[in-house]
Amino acid sequence: MTEAPAPKTISLTEINGRIDELQAQRDGALARCAKIAGEKAEAIDLVQILKAENDRLTALLNDRGGPAAAAASNDPETPLAPAGAAATAH
């Protein structure tokens, strides 16, 4: 029968070195997570700003002779502004 190889012993210095490597990897991952979280928060803020602006412009178009708010909400094919109004805003 063959003997099992003797277990490899690891020195305290090697263990500490490996712990330092793992901590550095963890710190890098946490930094990347914080950056991604910030980017997501910024994107959500921009979406909310764009939604508010879209709502404001929709209300403005509806107030200036566009279709009634009820018709616009029920029929997605109905334009929000009269046919010639799209090219006038600059």
Side-chain angles (χ1 to χ4, degrees):
M1 289 194 188
T2 60
E3 289 186 28
K8 180 183 175 189
T9 58
I10 301 173
S11 72
L12 189 56
T13 304
E14 290 173 323
I15 292 172
N16 287 336
R18 184 64 180 138
I19 290 171
D20 290 341
E21 289 174 17
L22 293 172
Q23 287 175 337
Q25 289 176 6
R26 181 201 59 207
D27 292 343
L30 287 173
R32 287 190 300 276
C33 287
K35 180 181 176 191
I36 291 169
E39 290 171 351
K40 281 187 155 189
E42 184 178 355
I44 290 170
D45 289 344
L46 290 173
V47 167
Q48 291 171 341
I49 290 168
L50 288 173
K51 183 182 181 316
E53 182 67 5
N54 186 41
D55 292 345
R56 185 187 71 80
L57 292 173
T58 300
L60 180 65
L61 288 172
N62 287 335
D63 289 345
R64 291 192 175 197
S73 63
N74 290 335
D75 184 10
E77 299 298 319
T78 303
L80 295 175
T88 61
H90 280 99

